[in-house]
Amino acid sequence: MSDTDILTRRDGALLELRFNRPAKKNAITNMMYAALADGFEAAAADKTVRAILITAEGDLFSAGNDLMDFAAQNSGAFAGPRHVERFLERMIEAEKPVIAAVQGDAVGVGATMLLHCDLVYVAEAARLITPFVNLALVPENASSLTLPGRIGHVRAFEMLGLCEPLRGAEAARLGIANAALPPAEVEPRARAAAHALAQKPAEALRLTKALMRDTHAAKARMKEEMAVFSERLRSPEAAEAFAAFMERRTPDFSKLG
Ligand code: COA
């Protein structure tokens, strides 16, 4: 990764984390997870930061985990510490409000992270896509708990089992997003809401968020999912799914399982 793939910057009392790898649809590499985790840790440690704003450059919010990184983990070629879990934990634990501006499609962890945000503004036509099963994987980031909790089992299974996309307008109707907007309005609206939160009494806001979120349950489910996910990452089915993506063809699971 280049060290600009995640831009971390201050906007008044906001800490902004911006996906900035548009040529790869903001797919998230291990080092990008590290930068995101560092951002959340910096925000937690700095009293002058009152809210965290997540934004993205380009036409997609994020294509989710980098599939080359997944393929390297599948083949055993991946070396060094993995930062994804540190990021997911820091985001679940975040005591300060987190606001997302989703100007385009959000895939995989790009979609599931929205369930840990406190305010979400989405483009009307953007799709939230959770293709874990299509990749021979399982849900992550506590989404097997948070998504059915938010929209009910059968709608959640449409996303997590059938891997059907959810449009921005429908996401707003179902309570995953606050509003579905024309794309150009998404980031200004999210930024304005974040600045409005930054004016509130910080301790009252922190306690309100703590009362509203079951952090313990979310972390426990995230770890449970991660154990299964890590096994699935090394499976022959996943190897076929990753090879198919790289070769731009439809996967063939017929001889597996
Ligand atoms: N990991 C790594 N690279 C990715 C990526 C990912 N998750 N998503 C997109 N890219 C790369 C493509 O390989 C391509 O690279 P190239 O230009 O060097 O060939 C570039 O980003 C553009 O992607 P492309 O597929 O041509 O764009 P698109 O607009 O036609 O489709 C997506 C966009 C997001 C629908 C499609 O890229 C996709 O399905 N990506 C995989 C999403 C996914 O399964 N994520 C993991 C979830 S767990």
Side-chain angles (χ1 to χ4, degrees):
M1 108 161 194
S2 102
D3 54 10
T4 57
D5 286 350
I6 297 289
L7 298 176
T8 303
R9 57 195 188 197
R10 284 296 293 267
D11 173 8
L14 310 182
L15 184 86
E16 180 177 354
L17 298 170
R18 189 171 186 87
F19 292 115
N20 187 38
R21 197 189 179 211
K24 295 288 184 184
K25 306 290 175 187
N26 292 325
I28 309 172
T29 59
N30 190 44
M31 294 319 291
M32 289 165 74
Y33 285 122
L36 290 166
D38 291 349
F40 271 84
E41 286 169 9
D46 184 344
K47 271 188 182 297
T48 68
V49 173
R50 295 294 190 103
I52 299 157
L53 176 65
I54 303 178
T55 60
E57 205 58 53
D59 59 343
L60 254 80
F61 179 68
S62 172
N65 202 104
D66 188 288
L67 288 173
M68 306 305 155
D69 273 16
F70 271 172
Q73 288 173 55
N74 177 276
S75 67
F78 191 89
R82 289 180 64 213
H83 294 285
V84 59
E85 191 167 348
R86 183 165 67 95
F87 162 61
L88 299 181
E89 277 194 346
R90 294 302 167 271
M91 188 165 187
I92 290 171
E93 286 166 355
E95 294 189 325
K96 296 176 184 179
V98 182
I99 301 92
V102 185
Q103 88 294 4
D105 290 354
V107 188
V109 70
T112 60
M113 72 168 64
L114 304 178
L115 297 159
H116 300 298
C117 292
D118 301 298
L119 294 174
V120 176
Y121 298 90
V122 65
E124 289 154 339
R127 298 171 303 167
L128 309 189
I129 312 173
T130 46
F132 306 111
V133 165
N134 285 350
L135 293 166
L137 301 171
V138 294
E140 39 69 306
N141 200 8
S143 59
S144 65
L145 179 73
T146 53
L147 191 59
R150 192 73 66 86
I151 67 176
H153 179 84
V154 294
R155 291 296 277 120
F157 205 76
E158 207 167 85
M159 293 183 73
L160 296 174
L162 271 180
C163 305
E164 290 287 325
L166 187 76
R167 290 278 173 189
E170 187 69 350
R173 200 184 64 76
L174 290 171
I176 293 178
N178 295 82
L181 303 162
E185 291 176 25
V186 170
E187 193 178 314
R189 180 80 169 268
R191 195 176 296 279
H195 280 299
L197 285 174
Q199 302 303 314
K200 307 283 182 201
E203 187 59 6
L205 202 53
R206 183 185 72 76
L207 291 166
T208 299
K209 177 167 175 170
L211 287 165
M212 289 174 70
R213 290 221 177 250
D214 190 345
T215 302
H216 181 76
K219 269 169 67 172
R221 179 62 65 91
M222 187 269 280
K223 284 180 187 298
E224 208 179 316
E225 291 168 345
M226 193 156 272
V228 186
F229 195 99
S230 301
E231 273 178 32
R232 294 300 310 165
L233 264 182
R234 294 189 295 271
S235 67
E237 286 179 344
E240 167 58 11
F242 303 149
F245 176 75
M246 286 184 241
E247 293 159 21
R248 292 187 177 266
R249 61 172 173 80
T250 307
D252 176 8
F253 300 113
S254 63
K255 295 181 193 68
L256 300 168

